[in-house]
Amino acid sequence: DGGKVRVRTLTLPDSYQDHDTPERMYAEAGLDAASIVKVVEGVLPARPETKAASNVVSVARRQR
């Protein structure tokens, strides 16, 4: 698709999966949060490196 189409279908594999906790089964299938984020980041275009914005806020006291 040349990077123009940004739709990826994530499905359960068409194979036998041993029974386990849902979390482990989703991870094995690539459907846990970390795997989904990895797919999304792989589909998005690369962004140029930017300077991280500071989340520190300076508060000055006002005289009363």
Side-chain angles (χ1 to χ4, degrees):
D1 65 17
K4 295 180 182 178
V5 177
R6 303 237 170 92
V7 175
R8 298 295 181 264
T9 303
L10 303 174
T11 61
L12 289 170
D14 191 21
S15 61
Y16 180 77
Q17 203 174 11
D18 287 329
H19 291 278
D20 208 332
T21 64
E23 292 80 16
R24 287 185 182 172
M25 292 175 73
Y26 284 128
E28 183 181 329
L31 295 174
D32 60 330
S35 299
I36 293 170
V37 168
K38 191 174 184 178
V39 170
V40 170
E41 288 176 341
V43 171
L44 294 176
R47 292 188 307 186
E49 198 65 34
T50 58
K51 184 179 176 183
S54 173
N55 60 356
V56 177
V57 177
S58 176
V59 178
R61 291 183 177 254
R62 292 190 292 173
Q63 293 181 352
R64 292 185 180 195

